[in-house]
Amino acid sequence: MDSFKQAFDLLFSFDRELLRIIGVTLRMSFFSTAVSCIIGLPLGTLLGTHSFRGKAFVKKLINTLMGLPPVVAGLIVYFLFTHYGPLGKLNMLFTVRVMVVAQCLLITPVVTALTSSFVEERARPVIDTAKGMGLSGRKTLFLTLSESRGMLSSVVLNAFGRSIAEVGAVSIVGGNIQWKTRVMTTAIMLETNKGNFSFALALGIILLIIAFAVNAAASFTVKEKSDG
Amino acid sequence: MVKIENLVKEYSGRRVIDIKNLNVNDGEILAVAGANGSGKTTLLRITSGLMKADSGFVEAQGKILFMPQQSYAFRGSLKDNLLIGLNGKDKKGEVEEILESMELKHLSDKKAVSLSGGELQRLALCRLLIRPCSLLLLDEPTSSCDARGTELVVDAVKKYVEKHGCTVIMATHSPIVAAKCADRMIILNDGGIEADGEPGEVMNDPSSEWAKSFIKDWRT
Ligand SMILES: Nc1ncnc2c1ncn2[C@@H]1O[C@H](COP(=O)(O)OP(=O)(O)OP(=O)(O)O)[C@@H](O)[C@H]1O
Ligand SMILES: [Mg+2]
């Protein structure tokens, strides 16, 4: 209970560093979610609706990437962006941008796989029905999106949840630099290592509150869907 | 007029459609019968353009409407479902009229997802029949309907054909629908046409085991 009190005291003290950490966390999660959904949603839709040569290979690749351990993803991105790496010229290591890259490597396969299995099972009848009614391609797409909005929002929120909770990859490529790349999860790691348990716990509780808010939003939209 | 020639569709080497020649005249209602897996749905989907054949061709002019075997309820009320096909504009009270004719009017403000199987199937038909077309493809439009529902569907299809003069191809497992609605009937067997003729004759063919079992439970 002490930690709860400390969490709230911490939150409402508007400690500048804490606000910074929350800000960096939200920025990183927002962009990771946005980029992985911009790639994953159309790709998943394509996989779910079309058959083409090499589709089986793409699916295997995605499934493999889904099982990629975050630290390995972090290492790969680290080596790509390290000074002597192929993308070292971009000078992006230890920035929020490179953390977003690592996160996308982890989250895009999940978004793609979820979307394609959903489209295969659930969107097929919508598309068939709309086309059977003689509706235009644009109207069919609009209806499909509208019928799937509950699912779409839960995929997006799932992506956001993963990105906000991830620690392995972002600590490797971000370096947990104070004021710059320190996010909630890496801060918790650090405080725990320093033996600052109640502060770490307080951070954890704030993270939980954010995760809860995201989840509440998710169940709200899903409920709205099943109601019709 | 619908022309089908040398139509072939295979799934991993197995032929599920193999039709040398099939012509359906303007204004004709053709019933397509056949056992489960005989290729009825595949034939309709290819004709509708939703699916490609491996070879051969289907020629059909004008607007084609297709009712899938599984009916889907869009979000919103029955009215909302019908307005989709009208681009949101119901100038002449068509929505009311068609719901009335299918005995769904008392449900018009209910959510479509809450409909029973037979009600939903009738709604799906309404969604198509609210607009004119030149070829109407129906995949087992009465599979969830009771006797009354079947009667409503048969009447609606006949009226629609009278009004718009369109051609209809309907898959069915119901001898009642074949007898009361269709001008002509074919039987598919492993993707090929086994019998073709006037429904009464096809169903009463004493040499066909399949026809016997098809009408076995049918008493009028
Ligand atoms: N996507 C698919 N992949 C492989 N085989 C398929 C596929 N779709 C259909 N088939 C096969 O093609 C055959 C014809 O199927 P179809 O759906 O046309 O039958 P049907 O006459 O409509 O049957 P029912 O009376 O059960 O509706 C079936 O044996 C089915 O297993
Ligand atoms: Mg079928």
Side-chain angles (χ1 to χ4, degrees):
Chain A
M1 277 303 112
D2 246 20
S3 307
F4 268 106
K5 195 175 166 302
Q6 198 181 351
F8 279 103
D9 287 349
L10 196 61
L11 191 58
F12 291 107
S13 69
F14 296 108
D15 177 68
R16 276 191 56 223
E17 191 182 353
L18 177 69
L19 290 181
R20 178 81 192 181
I21 292 174
I22 295 177
V24 172
T25 307
L26 290 178
R27 191 151 57 97
M28 175 196 70
S29 301
F30 174 80
F31 283 108
S32 309
T33 308
V35 174
S36 53
C37 286
I38 286 170
I39 302 170
L41 289 175
L43 189 61
T45 308
L46 192 75
L47 280 176
T49 51
H50 289 68
S51 40
F52 50 86
R53 273 183 58 197
K55 178 173 167 172
F57 175 75
V58 174
K59 279 191 145 176
K60 278 206 187 77
L61 186 72
I62 288 167
N63 285 335
T64 311
L65 283 174
M66 274 219 294
L68 191 67
V71 282
V72 177
L75 269 179
I76 294 171
V77 175
Y78 186 94
F79 281 119
L80 283 176
F81 285 92
T82 190
H83 196 62
Y84 304 103
L87 299 171
K89 289 247 156 49
L90 298 175
N91 231 337
M92 267 166 63
L93 208 57
F94 308 127
T95 62
V96 173
R97 274 184 295 164
V98 83
M99 289 156 82
V100 169
V101 172
Q103 294 262 30
C104 287
L105 187 59
L106 287 169
I107 303 167
T108 310
V110 179
V111 172
T112 309
L114 283 177
T115 308
S116 87
S117 66
F118 174 83
V119 168
E120 242 162 33
E121 279 170 39
R122 300 277 314 279
R124 195 72 257 173
V126 182
I127 296 170
D128 283 1
T129 305
K131 286 197 170 156
M133 286 165 71
L135 302 179
S136 66
R138 234 184 66 215
K139 199 123 193 251
T140 302
L141 180 67
F142 171 79
L143 268 177
T144 310
L145 292 178
S146 146
E147 291 293 313
S148 334
R149 62 187 183 222
M151 174 275 172
L152 289 178
S153 59
S154 57
V155 168
V156 173
L157 290 166
N158 186 318
F160 187 83
R162 274 166 193 270
S163 122
I164 207 170
E166 204 283 317
V167 54
V170 294
S171 67
I172 293 179
V173 299
N176 193 22
I177 301 167
Q178 196 178 16
W179 300 109
K180 202 179 153 205
T181 60
R182 182 163 298 165
V183 289
M184 304 290 290
T185 50
T186 52
I188 291 173
M189 289 271 287
L190 181 73
E191 297 302 330
T192 310
N193 286 341
K194 287 200 307 203
N196 229 341
F197 293 116
S198 57
F199 187 67
L201 203 56
L203 283 170
I205 289 166
I206 294 170
L207 187 61
L208 250 153
I209 292 170
I210 298 175
F212 180 78
V214 169
N215 255 316
S219 59
F220 176 76
T221 46
V222 170
K223 183 166 170 289
E224 188 251 354
K225 175 170 171 277
S226 61
D227 282 354
Chain B
M1 171 108 159
V2 182
K3 268 188 174 172
I4 294 174
E5 248 167 68
N6 298 318
L7 198 67
V8 172
K9 175 79 190 176
E10 293 187 349
Y11 283 117
S12 42
R14 193 169 69 90
R15 277 201 180 186
V16 295
I17 286 292
D18 187 1
I19 295 178
K20 297 275 155 331
N21 186 284
L22 175 66
N23 292 333
V24 191
N25 292 323
D26 287 335
E28 194 168 41
I29 303 181
L30 174 73
V32 180
N36 291 145
S38 56
K40 302 179 295 296
T41 297
T42 311
L43 174 62
L44 289 182
R45 289 180 65 89
I46 293 172
T47 311
S48 74
L50 278 176
M51 184 192 259
K52 280 201 183 74
D54 296 336
S55 62
F57 77 92
V58 176
E59 199 185 285
Q61 286 98 25
K63 189 164 196 68
I64 302 175
L65 295 180
F66 168 60
M67 178 170 157
Q69 187 163 359
Q70 303 290 337
S71 302
Y72 181 85
F74 289 116
R75 227 176 242 289
S77 67
L78 275 68
K79 271 187 189 157
D80 296 333
N81 268 260
L82 289 171
L83 284 171
I84 293 171
L86 293 174
N87 281 321
K89 290 184 286 271
D90 177 24
K91 288 193 203 111
K92 298 170 228 145
E94 291 155 292
V95 169
E96 289 258 304
E97 192 185 316
I98 201 156
L99 285 173
E100 173 99 68
S101 73
M102 282 290 204
E103 297 184 356
L104 291 169
K105 200 174 154 214
H106 60 293
L107 302 169
S108 59
D109 291 315
K110 262 187 96 174
K111 281 179 176 158
V113 285
S114 64
L115 291 180
S116 77
E119 289 163 351
L120 175 58
Q121 200 163 34
R122 276 180 282 150
L123 173 68
L125 187 63
C126 289
R127 259 185 334 216
L128 295 191
L129 299 190
I130 203 159
R131 300 161 78 194
C133 73
S134 44
L135 174 59
L136 182 63
L137 304 167
L138 306 172
D139 198 350
E140 300 189 28
T142 62
S143 58
S144 305
C145 292
D146 61 5
R148 177 69 187 146
T150 304
E151 200 176 316
L152 289 169
V153 168
V154 168
D155 288 349
V157 170
K158 283 174 121 175
K159 242 189 228 143
Y160 182 82
V161 171
E162 259 167 44
K163 190 169 165 196
H164 300 288
C166 70
T167 309
V168 180
I169 304 179
M170 56 175 8
T172 187
H173 285 297
S174 158
I176 300 175
V177 172
K180 288 196 177 161
C181 200
D183 305 311
R184 181 179 157 203
M185 179 173 180
I186 61 172
I187 293 172
L188 284 188
N189 186 11
D190 284 336
I193 298 178
E194 193 179 78
D196 181 348
E198 195 268 320
E201 276 168 28
V202 171
M203 288 192 285
N204 290 311
D205 181 356
S207 67
S208 162
E209 279 305 312
W210 188 87
K212 265 183 229 159
S213 71
F214 186 68
I215 58 169
K216 195 180 64 195
D217 301 322
W218 180 33
R219 295 183 186 85
T220 40

